[in-house]
Amino acid sequence: IMGQIKEAAAKAGMACIGEFSGGKGYHLWFPVNTPVPAAEMRTALYALSHIVASKCEFFQLEIFPKQDRLTGKGLGNLVKLPLGIHRATGKRSFLIIGGARDIDRQLAALEGFEPSGPQSVSMLAGEAARTQVVLHPASAKLEEHFPDLVKLMNGCRILGQLISECLKGRDPGERGRKVMLATIGFLRNGREMLHHLLAGAPDYNRPLLDYEISRLRGTPLGCRRIHSLMGFGEGGLDCSFELKKGEYPHPLLLLDHWKRDIESAPLHAERIENLRDAILHLKTAIKIVERFL
């Protein structure tokens, strides 16, 4: 994974240095010769992580800085500097550069390392900001059957990535599943949409998903919590809403009818109660059989 990220960074003109953290994980540093805004760097790193997201089933990528800007309360999320001692393991971290682990040789190798210019970060961040979510070819009729999903994909970058992964038959992960459940699940046809999206995942369990949906209470998951769960901190990702007094930001604000759905829709039940539920059950069963065939 590290090699693939470094390769993607090189294509984008961004310098990258790998580091063993001294614990269980690795850090990737992207040095620049001139300071760049945190929001711009976060957007660029998010674009790089998206390139290799499908190959990170057993790894979690975490991006620093975790905020676009400081709020005046402290210094934000901190990260350990390279070549230090890991406080939990007592092991020294080392840079994966020049084939040497001793500090003197690593520092010597760093002297010849050329950081990237700020224009590389700006270019990658600009491309990421202009990128539009493209529907998977296998789901060309998604907008016809589930137009709300398309609006959420285009309006929320995190939901867009999660939905795209599901349309490709991939598991969105425990946190991704939680985000989808606590947003899409609140809509009137949320149960149908969630079954449609998750039926192709390897560990799809229809009764369990019905149970989880039936337990939904309260309000949709907010943007700040979603960003935190998915490793982006509390900063925004180009999300903007016209909030009314007392309202908090969440992805369903992209839909005009979200509040009406929550207020008027009956609680989703676990068991099959009508013909619509029976048809949904049959459709998802067919998907499972097709996958195994």
Side-chain angles (χ1 to χ4, degrees):
I1 296 300
M2 182 182 296
Q4 292 168 346
I5 295 177
K6 293 177 74 172
E7 182 180 347
K11 288 181 180 179
M14 291 181 63
C16 179
I17 304 175
E19 176 209 6
F20 172 64
S21 68
K24 296 180 179 179
Y26 290 83
H27 295 164
L28 289 168
W29 297 88
F30 298 85
V32 288
N33 54 25
T34 304
V36 297
E40 200 168 83
M41 177 60 85
R42 274 167 39 83
T43 303
L45 294 183
Y46 175 84
L48 286 179
S49 69
H50 182 67
I51 293 173
V52 299
S54 62
K55 302 171 184 176
C56 295
E57 298 181 25
F58 305 104
F59 300 91
Q60 181 180 351
L61 298 179
E62 195 173 9
I63 293 175
F64 285 81
K66 286 194 171 186
Q67 296 88 14
D68 283 348
R69 61 191 65 84
L70 292 179
T71 61
K73 298 179 181 179
L75 300 174
N77 295 87
L78 305 181
V79 62
K80 180 178 69 66
L81 289 173
L83 305 181
I85 303 295
H86 195 286
R87 296 181 65 180
T89 65
K91 296 180 180 179
R92 181 177 294 279
S93 63
F94 59 86
L95 299 174
I96 305 173
I97 182 174
R101 293 192 181 185
D102 60 277
I103 294 180
D104 290 337
R105 293 177 63 187
Q106 289 201 7
L107 290 176
L110 278 175
E111 288 183 357
F113 189 85
E114 196 68 34
S116 54
Q119 65 277 5
S120 300
V121 180
S122 300
M123 187 176 299
L124 185 57
E127 290 175 359
R130 291 191 297 271
T131 299
Q132 296 294 318
V133 176
V134 179
L135 296 182
H136 191 266
S139 301
K141 295 185 178 180
L142 185 72
E143 188 165 9
E144 178 183 349
H145 297 289
F146 303 112
D148 288 344
L149 281 183
V150 178
K151 290 181 181 179
L152 291 175
M153 289 178 74
N154 291 328
C156 175
R157 192 180 300 179
I158 293 179
L159 275 180
Q161 181 179 346
L162 292 173
I163 294 172
S164 295
E165 290 298 298
C166 289
L167 293 176
K168 297 172 186 175
R170 296 171 181 159
D171 186 354
E174 184 180 349
R175 294 186 178 187
R177 179 188 175 92
K178 179 177 181 179
V179 169
M180 294 172 62
L181 184 69
T183 51
I184 298 172
F186 278 96
L187 298 174
R188 173 175 283 273
N189 61 338
R191 180 183 176 191
E192 186 177 357
M193 288 191 286
L194 286 171
H195 277 292
H196 176 79
L197 292 172
L198 297 171
D203 61 347
Y204 170 67
N205 185 323
R206 188 194 61 78
L208 176 60
L209 181 57
D210 278 338
Y211 172 75
E212 292 173 329
I213 296 172
S214 73
R215 302 297 296 174
L216 284 175
R217 299 290 188 275
T219 55
L221 204 61
C223 295
R224 293 178 64 181
R225 180 59 178 154
I226 291 174
H227 296 164
S228 177
L229 279 172
M230 300 306 294
F232 297 106
E234 296 182 352
L237 289 173
D238 302 327
C239 303
S240 59
F241 303 103
E242 293 183 5
L243 299 176
K244 298 178 182 179
K245 187 176 181 181
E247 211 170 33
Y248 74 100
H250 58 82
L252 296 190
L253 289 172
L254 294 163
L255 307 175
D256 295 332
H257 57 82
W258 74 271
K259 194 171 183 179
R260 187 167 62 251
D261 274 16
I262 294 177
E263 291 176 347
S264 61
L267 293 177
H268 297 293
E270 293 180 61
R271 60 186 182 276
I272 295 175
E273 294 187 325
N274 50 47
L275 182 59
R276 184 183 182 88
D277 286 348
I279 293 174
L280 175 60
H281 187 183
L282 180 59
K283 285 181 178 179
T284 54
I286 291 173
K287 277 194 172 187
I288 294 174
V289 172
E290 288 177 341
R291 186 174 75 238
F292 282 105
L293 290 177

